[in-house]
Structure formats: C-alpha cells, structure tokens
C-alpha cells in the first residue's frame, strides 16, 4: 500500500471505506465472503446437528426453516458470488494489463452495498415474527401471503445485492472490453477473463429479473396486486416461472468463473497449454446461452404440460454436452503433462472428478419421469452441493491458493493446504454422498425431522459435515498466516505459470500497469 | 512531436469515453431486463390462454356452438374447493353428467354463507385435463362476477356451458372445479 499515509485508526478505516483500488476491493470482497462463509456454514452445522438423530432435539421447526432459508441465501449471495467478484477484481486488471477497473468508484459502491444488505438480511432473524422461513427460493404464496413481516426486509436486502451484482457486472464488462492493454488481444484473452466476461452478461440478464420478481412479491404483500394470488386472478406458478427464469442462469453465474479458474490452474501444474482452448471458450458461451432455456426443469412436478416437460428435458440434457467437452479438455490437458500436485492442483483435480459426479446427478434429474421421484428430495440436495461445493467452492479454494502468493508475497504452507484439502474432500463426500441414497429412498428436503428409516445415513452425513466444517478453520489459519509470514514468493511463483499477472512482483504493487505494458517493456529495453 | 504524456492523456480520455458508452449500453440492458420481467406477466397469461394451459377458462361469456356432435359423449364431473379463509360452503348440485360436444348444458352450484357477516367472494374455475380447458366454453357462469352473500344466505348459482366439438378425440372426461376465494367482508352495522 502507499507509503505516505500516517497510520492511525481513522486513516485505516477510511482507506478501506473509500478505496477505489481494485486490489483493495478484491480483498474486501474476499474477506466479506470468508466471514459469511463461516456464518452460513455454522447454520449448516446447526441444521446437521438437528438432523443427527430423529426427533427435535435442538430447536423449534420454525427456527429450522429459517436456518435452511438463510443458509441458502447467504451462501449463494454472500459467499460464492462475492468471492468470485473478489477474484474478478484482483485478477482482471492484472491479467489484461490494466491499471484498474473501468469504474473504480462504482466498484467501491458495488462492494459496500453488500455489508449493509447482509446486516439487513441477518437482522430479520431478530425481528418480530421471525426471519424468512420459506427456503431460498421464496415461493409464493408462502412468502407473499404467509410470509412474516421481516420478508419485506429480505426483499429489500435482495434488491441491494442485486444492484451490487449488476453494477459489478457492468464494471467487469467495460473493463474487459475497453481496458485491455495492446498485448492482450481477444485471441490472447485468458480463459478466466473470458469466463468472467460471459458471467457478467449472465448477471446483467438474470439479476434484474430477480429484482422484478421480488418487487412483485412486495407489491402483492402491500400494494394490493395479485401477481401470484389466485383469488385476484394471478397465479402462484407464475412466481416459479419468474424465479427460475432468473434462478437457472444464476447457478451458471455461480459456476462459470469456477470453470475459468480451473482452466488457469490445470495448465500451470501440468506445464502444458490448455487443450482445445477455442472449444473451451465456445463451450462457456454455449452453456451461458443454453442456461436461459432450461428453467422449467425446476418445475417438472408442478403440472406443466407434457410438451413443455419434453422440451425442457431435451434442452437440459443438451447443456451436458458443452460441459462434458470442458471436462474432457481439462483431462486432456493433464494427459502427458508434467504434473505436480500442489494444493491448487489438488482442488482442481478433485473439482473435475466431483463436479462431474454432480453433473451426473443433474443428468438424472433432467429426465422427467425420474425427476418425479427425485424432485424435492435429498437427491436434489446432494446434486446441488456436489456442484456448488466441489464445483464452485473448491475452484475458489484452488484460486486462492494459486493467487495468494501473488497477493501477499508469501508462499502458503503446503502442509496446511494439504491437510485442508484432504479433510475437506473426505468430510464433504461423507456428508453429501449418502444424501443421494436418502433422496432415492424418499427423504424429502427442508424437513426438520424425518422417518426412522433415514436415521443412519443422516447420522453419517452429520459426522461428515462437522469434519468438513472444522477443516475450513485450517483454511482460515492458512490465509491469516500467509498474509503475515511465509517463504517469499517470486514474481512467477509457479514454474508452469503463464500470463501477465506473473510479470509483476509478488506481492503485487498497489498500483500496477500504470503505463501500458507495451510502453513499459519498450522503456525497459532502452 | 507529441510527448508521451499528451499521447497518454489522449488515450486515457479515449478509454474514458469508451467506458462511458459501454456503461450506458449495459445500464440500458439491465433496465430492459427489469422491465422484461414485468412484461413476462401478461405474456404468461396470454400464453396460458392461447395454449389452454393451466386449466384457465375464459372469464367472459362465449357464444353457443352451431354444431352438436352426437357421435360421442363426454363425462363432465363437477367439483368445488373452499379457500380455508372463507366461511362458506360451495357444492355442485349435480356431481356429474354426460354431454354431447356442442350441446348447451345447464347446472347449478349452491353456495351458503355460514358466518354472521356479509361476505363477497370470487369463484375461480379450473378445468382438468389442462388441454381441455380451451374447449370448455362457458355461456353463463357465476364466476364471471363476484358474489355477495348476506349472513347465512343460501343461493343457487347457474353455469351454462358446452364442450367445443373440436375437443380432441382422446379426451373422454373433463372435470370442472371451482375454488371460492374471499374478496371482502362487510362488518355488520
């Protein structure tokens, strides 16, 4: 950071409050998502603790429903999305040779909206009438007619989060299109950047629809409209269509940057170029476009006509094709590569394997007659956690281990990383693999208590959850340790690393690429 | 000769202009998607009506059919549901009947207000199978308007309908169901 400011508590605070520096804002996003990760994670452990045995031991069912709702809302909007936004902020300017993002002050506002949004969201737990208890999907009329008074604050919090994401998306697109240095042509654009460019467009297309939908919820609750109220001529099913029209692109927003990260990490530790680079980019575009025409697969059991079920079944199965291409290409990149297994690579390889399992359960869910069995059971819970944890979260871990030497100037402790990795995948699989069978056996989701035949696997899952949860403390220790100490990192950090971000020193100076890289090189040659 | 500084400032200015342009285009895109979500609402209703989905039948009276198809009979079942918030009873006088497609039929539903207040309610019809709702034509229906019942009042409400002869040959049974929703309560003086 700049050397000239006198360091008082006030200047420390105002630095972080007013910063327009992409590295600072990236750090802020990552810390926010880390704090919320442990917060929503503790909710998960409370949920699993209640489900350890049949019967209600720890809490009222009403509170359980709030835990489930907030766990989902916070993990999606408070952990995964801000963490990838943090990566975007740190890495995009570094990888395209830009001095900062296109709109640095807008960048600051995009971040600072979030702490306020989450304070508001979490405060609903303490409001009269309790917090939101209708699942993160907030279906009407449970959320509209029967939702507690705090629902209006949830709606407002979602508006704030939506604005933050939309503005961040605009910033990212403008930066990538306009601020690339001369050397980074479209052809040379790193895959992580491509993935964020496309994700940003998805954000712009999907988040406003969520904003419209929750606005309609608010209007139904307080302004006498009947968007989702059959009595007034509306339709609860309309809510589901609107929500999932947003909701499906949203889950691709959660995974596409992860794909980008994996496409950066695997070539580095295979010491080999990414296989099928062009196909990888087209695959991301194809996935993004297809994500808009599959939403009804969340509604197969609602009574939509057979023709609709078939159309959406086919489009959903179709998404497996570009995704499969990516999985094959990552594997092909490793084939005959010179592999080493540092922590980022471990998380990336497990991503390929475990995310694919999540993809397979997704394919199973896409088949309409089978989905009638799986819908709203723990099979869906297993699927979503396989793609979100071993997909998005593990890619985030890979990214942080990969780039933290660049950010902090220190190598992380490989031993800590390995412990974190192995405990995580063991804990994760013990938790979520049994849930496939629970779902197949008929255990519904979002229930605080269950029939006796589900007891054993629930006990196993809870044990796994606690292993997984406490393993994350190792990650936190790693981060804090690496910020303050550790072997000094070189500029290149990793032997096989390619890209502009590895040409700047580690830690990356507060201001980088202030003159264009091209000019910089010219000057240094003279 | 242009100094490096002037070129750099010009480039920065150019980039700032480009960024501004991009910002405006993308903001418009975001606003458009917000508006789009509201446009989807009538779009959804239109699609449901046109495709006959969701069991929605019309809310206006339709003309009688000119043609009666005597080659087949369709079984019509009548059903009713009361929204729990409404202290009424609603029941069909006749639980089922067989009709020729195209033939005008009349049946009645009886509604009773069990409470001590004057209540206005709205009946919302639904037809199963969904695909048949397009062919279920109502000439007169108590669902076209709201019904107001005084305390403990009982009335018989007519439905006059016919099944469009264009009904697909594969359909032999149709169920007409009404759900009664509370609209407003008038306090007793």
């Amino acid at each position: 950071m700049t050397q000239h400011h006198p360091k008082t508590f006030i200047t420390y605070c105002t630095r972080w409050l007013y910063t327009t520096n992409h590295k600072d804002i990236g750090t802020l996003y990552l810390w926010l998502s880390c704090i919320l990760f442990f917060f929503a994670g503790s909710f998960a452990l409370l949920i699993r603790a209640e489900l350890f045995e049949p019967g209600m031991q720890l809490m009222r069912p009403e509170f359980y429903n709030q835990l489930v709702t907030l766990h989902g809302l916070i993990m999606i909007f408070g952990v995964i999305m801000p963490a990838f936004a943090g990566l975007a902020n740190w890495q995009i300017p570094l990888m395209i040779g830009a001095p900062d993002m296109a709109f640095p002050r807008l960048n600051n506002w995009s971040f600072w909206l979030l702490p306020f949004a989450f304070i508001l969201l979490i405060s609903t737990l303490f409001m009269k009438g309790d917090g939101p208890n209708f699942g993160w999907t907030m279906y009407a009329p449970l959320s509209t007619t029967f939702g507690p008074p705090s629902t209006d604050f949830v709606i407002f919090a979602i508006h704030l989060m939506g604005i933050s994401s939309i503005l961040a998306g605009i910033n990212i697109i403008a930066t990538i299109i306009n601020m690339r240095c001369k050397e980074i042509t479209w052809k040379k654009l790193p895959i992580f950047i491509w993935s964020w460019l496309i994700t940003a467009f998805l954000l712009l297309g999907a988040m406003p629809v969520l904003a419209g939908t929750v606005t309609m919820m608010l209007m139904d609750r307080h302004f006498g409209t009947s968007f989702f109220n059959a009595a007034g001529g509306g339709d609860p099913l309309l809510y589901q269509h609107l929500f999932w029209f947003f909701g499906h692109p949203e889950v691709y927003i959660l995974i596409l940057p992860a794909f980008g990260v994996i496409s950066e990490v695997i070539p580095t530790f295979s010491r080999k170029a990414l296989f099928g680079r062009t196909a990888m980019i087209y695959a991301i575009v194809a996935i993004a476009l297809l994500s808009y025409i599959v939403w009804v697969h969340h509604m197969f059991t609602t009574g939509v006509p057979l023709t609709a079920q078939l159309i959406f079944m086919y489009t959903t199965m179709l998404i497996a094709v570009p995704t499969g291409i990516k999985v094959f290409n990552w594997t092909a990149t490793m084939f005959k590569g010179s592999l080493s297994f540092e922590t980022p690579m471990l998380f990336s390889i497990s991503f390929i394997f475990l995310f694919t399992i999540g993809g397979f359960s997704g394919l199973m869910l896409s088949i309409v007659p089978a989905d009638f069995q799986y819908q709203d059971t723990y099979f869906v819970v297993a699927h979503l956690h396989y793609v979100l944890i071993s997909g998005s979260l593990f890619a985030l871990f890979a990214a942080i281990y990969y780039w933290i030497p660049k950010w902090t100037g220190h190598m992380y402790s490989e031993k800590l990383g390995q412990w974190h990795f192995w405990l995580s995948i063991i804990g994760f699989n013990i938790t979520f693999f049994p849930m496939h069978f629970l779902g197949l056996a008929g255990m519904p989701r979002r229930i605080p208590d269950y029939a006796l035949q589900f007891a054993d696997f629930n006990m196993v899952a809870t044990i796994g959850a606690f292993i997984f949860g406490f393993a994350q403390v190792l990650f936190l220790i790693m981060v804090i340790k690496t910020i303050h100490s550790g072997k000094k990192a070189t500029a290149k950090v990793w032997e096989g690393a390619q890209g502009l971000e590895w040409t700047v020193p580690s830690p990356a100076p507060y201001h980088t690429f202030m003159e264009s890289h091209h000019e910089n090189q010219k000057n240094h040659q003279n | 000769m242009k100094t490096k500084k002037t070129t750099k400032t010009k480039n920065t200015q150019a980039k700032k202009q480009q960024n501004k342009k991009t910002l405006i285009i993308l903001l418009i895109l975001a606003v458009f998607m917000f508006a789009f979500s509201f446009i989807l609402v009538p779009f959804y209703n239109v699609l449901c009506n046109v495709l006959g989905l969701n069991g929605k039948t019309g809310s206006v009276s339709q003309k009688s059919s000119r043609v009666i198809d005597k080659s087949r009979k369709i079984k019509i079942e009548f059903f009713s549901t009361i929204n729990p918030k409404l202290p009424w009873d609603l029941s069909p006088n006749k639980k089922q009947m067989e009709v020729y497609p195209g033939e005008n039929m009349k049946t009645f539903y009886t509604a009773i207000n069990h409470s001590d207040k004057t209540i206005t309610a709205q009946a919302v019809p639904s037809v199963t199978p969904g695909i048949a709702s397009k062919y279920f034509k109502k000439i007169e229906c108590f669902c076209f308007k709201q019904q107001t019942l005084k305390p403990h009042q009982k009335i018989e409400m007519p439905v006059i309908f016919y099944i469009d002869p264009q009904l697909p040959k594969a359909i032999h049974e149709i169920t007409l169901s009404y759900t009664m929703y509370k609209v407003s309560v008038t306090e007793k003086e």
Side-chain angles (χ1 to χ4, degrees), chain A residues 255 259 323 350-360 386-387 390-391:
Chain A
I255 200 64
F259 289 167
T323 316
S350 69
F351 171 102
I352 297 176
F353 187 60
L354 296 172
F355 174 78
T356 302
I357 293 180
F360 286 154
Y386 263 83
V387 290
S390 53

Side-chain angles (χ1 to χ4, degrees), chain A residues 155-215:
Chain A
I155 292 173
F156 188 48
I158 290 177
H159 271 132
L160 291 178
M161 296 168 205
I163 294 173
S164 163
S165 289
I166 291 168
L167 295 176
I170 292 179
N171 218 339
I172 287 168
I173 295 174
T175 308
I176 296 175
I177 294 182
N178 297 332
M179 312 267 295
R180 287 164 296 125
C181 72
K182 260 196 176 145
E183 205 182 77
I184 304 290
T185 57
W186 283 110
K187 270 200 166 157
K188 292 220 185 101
L189 200 66
I191 297 255
F192 178 66
I193 311 293
W194 270 113
S195 73
W196 246 119
L197 179 64
I198 292 156
T199 304
F201 273 108
L202 275 181
L203 269 172
L204 282 188
M207 294 302 298
V209 176
L210 177 66
T213 309
V214 298
T215 307

Side-chain angles (χ1 to χ4, degrees), chain A residues 427-442:
Chain A
F428 165 75
N429 279 295
I430 294 178
T431 312
F432 292 104
F433 203 71
M435 291 189 187
H436 292 106
F437 302 109
L438 281 172
L440 290 173

Side-chain angles (χ1 to χ4, degrees), chain A residues 25-53:
Chain A
I25 294 175
T27 302
L28 284 170
Y29 268 112
L30 287 168
W31 274 118
L32 177 75
S33 82
C34 187
I35 294 169
L36 291 174
F37 176 57
F38 283 98
F39 193 75
S42 62
F43 281 15
L45 290 183
L46 281 170
I47 293 168
R48 284 297 347 149
E50 178 55 64
L51 294 175
F52 182 62
E53 282 180 334

